[in-house]
Amino acid sequence: MTLHDSSDSTYVQSFLLTYRSFTTTYDLFVLLQHRYLIVPPAELSPEEVEDWIKNKRDFVRLRVYNVMKSWVENYCYDNEEDRRVLKLMKHFAETVMMEETPNTAFQLSNLVDRREEYGVHMRVRTQQYNMRDVPGPILPWNLKRLKFLDLDPLEIARQLTLMESAAYIRIQPVECLKKAWSGKNDSPNVKAMITLSNQIAGWVIQSILSERDIKKRGALIKHFVNIADKCRSLNNFCTLQTILGALNSASIHRLKKTWAQIGKKNERLEALRDLMSLERNFAKYREAVHSSNPPCIPYFGLCLTDLTFIEDGSSDLLRVHFDRPQLHEEVRLTRPVTVNEGEFNHQTVMINFFKQIKTAEVIRDIQQFQNEPYHLAPVKEVQDFLRASFSDGFDDKELYNLSLELEPRDKDNEKVARMLVNTGFIEKSEV
């Protein structure tokens, strides 16, 4: 990362995105200080030392400065440890660096001051756009007594997109490390995104199941399909997949008579299902999202799945013999690792940085759509109406029982189900 004879910006970015999974900010800062204060080998002659300073030390110091600068600009968080390191870095710049490289020391010190003054907003890009480019909302005459089916599918999709986008842009890289969202008090923004998706899914399912009239249920399904299609046109793949998931849930999918109201083959729905198909690990969706221009909200559930696969599928550390050349994807630990004594005889422990690189790739995919906002007009009345309709929690069994009340099983199906129970293929609770 601070080699004198090479510079790899992608490697540095991957390191700064993921280092918190294997070390602390303070320890990283200490190592960067030591690297800046590199000294020449004792056996060099005065002429060789001069050449070493010119061709190695000065380049190493420049690399260290660039890493510190990048950390302050893009990877520093508003937590106690990072604030502490900012103060230490400013002191280091104004003392040690000022004596050695005053120009970079002055720039780093000013950068720290700006970071302390503006916080994370220092790196937020101000978006300039003409309000005339914002499409006008499509609204009914009376905003005080809104009805779901009276709202235009495009406007509902716009407001859902704004709500999802507001949650999505708050997600921080550190929340995506080591499956942090699985903990009770970690990853609040990731959890908020998950909660919103669950609420939207519950809203779709309960809205359909709460309607007793079969024709109105069919109209609701058709309305949700149109909303999902409009989400696709807005590059909002997250809400699109949430609605499709709700429509494919057991309690909704089994409503054959209701689905008949919208036709056996709804081309719009089939096209959306084909796009978000699981085949070849969401190949069609991945191609679509990678070719999409921002603004865009990717299917965040798949991002979490990818991160989980990387975390569970690869070890954090590698056992490597001393005589084996170090690979670019590995980082040698310079501090003791908690391992059993004697377990690594004649070996050194390496961080599996290939794992960190793969993790950073997913995080960069998340980040690339966080800086471009949607140029849409928020409508408070519509968003409040939608939030009031969202479901914070629902029981799958209760929903399925409600589905059975709306459309009881066919007698032939009941006979098959009883036969499967009697033969032991399925349990009675599943019927």
Side-chain angles (χ1 to χ4, degrees):
M1 190 163 66
T2 59
L3 294 175
H4 69 286
D5 57 353
S6 67
S7 177
D8 187 338
S9 60
T10 301
Y11 187 88
V12 173
Q13 185 185 52
S14 297
F15 185 95
L16 292 176
L17 278 172
T18 62
Y19 76 87
R20 296 171 197 264
S21 66
F22 55 83
T23 189
T24 65
T25 301
Y26 175 76
D27 288 343
L28 174 60
F29 172 65
V30 170
L31 293 173
L32 288 172
Q33 285 185 103
H34 291 167
R35 182 65 171 162
Y36 182 88
L37 296 172
I38 184 175
V39 296
E43 66 273 12
L44 296 184
S45 66
E47 293 79 10
E48 290 173 328
V49 169
E50 184 177 347
D51 183 69
W52 179 89
I53 290 174
K54 180 180 178 181
N55 295 313
K56 183 170 183 177
R57 190 201 66 177
D58 289 351
F59 283 102
V60 168
R61 287 182 169 179
L62 179 61
R63 304 275 191 263
V64 170
Y65 161 75
N66 285 332
V67 172
M68 289 184 173
K69 176 177 178 292
S70 183
W71 179 81
V72 174
E73 289 178 327
N74 301 299
Y75 305 98
C76 176
Y77 295 121
D78 282 328
N79 58 44
E80 184 177 349
E81 183 185 30
D82 284 16
R83 288 192 291 270
R84 174 192 175 202
V85 169
L86 278 175
K87 296 184 182 301
L88 293 173
M89 191 175 290
K90 180 176 174 64
H91 177 74
F92 180 72
E94 294 178 344
T95 54
V96 177
M97 289 184 70
M98 192 63 72
E99 294 181 1
E100 302 290 337
T101 52
N103 288 335
T104 55
F106 180 75
Q107 293 176 30
L108 185 60
S109 178
N110 283 345
L111 194 62
V112 172
D113 287 340
R114 286 182 55 212
R115 179 59 178 74
E116 290 181 327
E117 179 179 358
Y118 296 106
V120 295
H121 300 292
M122 165 186 163
R123 63 175 182 263
V124 175
R125 185 176 60 183
T126 302
Q127 299 292 332
Q128 299 291 336
Y129 57 90
N130 195 325
M131 287 300 296
R132 287 179 295 182
D133 296 333
V134 177
I138 307 170
L139 301 173
W141 289 104
N142 190 352
L143 288 177
K144 293 183 179 180
R145 299 183 64 181
L146 294 175
K147 295 181 179 180
F148 177 60
L149 290 175
D150 291 339
L151 291 171
D152 190 278
L154 176 56
E155 193 56 45
I156 296 176
R158 288 172 177 172
Q159 299 309 313
L160 289 173
T161 296
L162 288 173
M163 294 160 71
E164 288 264 27
S165 179
Y168 180 73
I169 62 175
R170 295 191 188 101
I171 296 169
Q172 299 296 317
V174 69
E175 297 183 80
C176 301
L177 301 176
K178 307 291 291 181
K179 295 194 296 186
W181 61 90
S182 301
K184 291 184 178 180
N185 301 315
D186 300 319
S187 303
N189 298 306
V190 170
K191 289 181 177 178
M193 189 76 179
I194 295 171
T195 297
L196 180 57
S197 293
N198 290 338
Q199 289 175 334
I200 293 174
W203 164 58
V204 173
I205 295 171
Q206 292 192 341
S207 295
I208 296 170
L209 295 181
S210 62
E211 179 55 62
R212 308 294 298 185
D213 184 273
I214 188 171
K215 291 185 178 180
K216 291 183 179 179
R217 280 203 306 277
L220 285 169
I221 288 180
K222 188 174 182 179
H223 207 50
F224 280 119
V225 170
N226 291 335
I227 293 169
D229 186 57
K230 297 304 181 183
C231 286
R232 170 64 186 95
S233 69
L234 294 168
N235 286 339
N236 180 359
F237 295 96
C238 197
T239 306
L240 162 61
Q241 177 61 14
T242 299
I243 294 175
L244 288 182
L247 294 177
N248 289 333
S249 65
S251 56
I252 302 299
H253 185 265
R254 64 170 300 277
L255 299 174
K256 295 180 181 180
K257 295 178 182 179
T258 303
W259 282 100
Q261 299 296 313
I262 68 169
K264 291 183 178 180
K265 283 287 185 179
N266 185 293
E267 293 183 1
R268 188 171 296 174
L269 177 59
E270 292 304 314
L272 295 176
R273 284 174 170 168
D274 182 62
L275 172 66
M276 303 304 295
S277 170
L278 291 167
E279 290 184 7
R280 293 185 295 122
N281 193 20
F282 289 90
K284 291 183 179 179
Y285 157 73
R286 291 183 191 273
E287 181 181 355
V289 76
H290 286 149
S291 62
S292 297
N293 293 320
C296 174
I297 308 174
Y299 172 30
F300 190 64
L302 187 58
C303 297
L304 296 182
T305 299
D306 290 342
L307 289 168
T308 299
F309 179 82
I310 295 168
E311 178 61 31
D312 293 344
S314 304
S315 60
D316 294 328
L317 303 176
L318 301 174
R319 306 179 188 182
V320 184
H321 289 282
F322 280 112
D323 57 356
R324 190 184 70 74
Q326 182 173 344
L327 299 177
H328 182 69
E329 294 84 5
E330 301 169 343
V331 176
R332 193 180 302 274
L333 290 181
T334 56
R335 303 188 64 203
V337 182
T338 304
V339 294
N340 296 328
E341 289 294 331
E343 184 178 355
F344 297 105
N345 293 331
H346 307 294
Q347 294 176 332
T348 184
V349 179
M350 310 286 284
I351 293 173
N352 181 6
F353 202 68
F354 178 75
K355 176 178 181 177
Q356 309 307 324
I357 289 175
K358 300 303 290 184
T359 300
E361 288 176 358
V362 179
I363 295 175
R364 279 194 292 270
D365 285 343
I366 294 172
Q367 286 183 315
Q368 70 171 325
F369 296 119
Q370 288 185 311
N371 295 324
E372 185 70 33
Y374 279 88
H375 299 165
L376 300 171
V379 181
K380 182 179 183 301
E381 292 85 354
V382 176
Q383 291 193 17
D384 288 346
F385 171 78
L386 293 174
R387 286 194 178 93
S389 304
F390 288 167
S391 173
D392 289 325
F394 53 89
D395 184 89
D396 288 333
K397 289 185 177 180
E398 290 182 4
L399 292 176
Y400 196 79
N401 289 333
L402 182 56
S403 176
L404 288 173
E405 290 180 17
L406 295 175
E407 292 189 26
R409 288 192 183 94
D410 293 336
K411 293 182 178 180
D412 291 341
N413 289 342
E414 288 183 355
K415 291 179 181 179
V416 173
R418 282 197 299 270
M419 182 179 67
L420 292 174
V421 169
N422 293 333
T423 55
F425 281 98
I426 61 174
E427 295 181 1
K428 187 174 183 181
S429 59
E430 299 179 34
V431 180

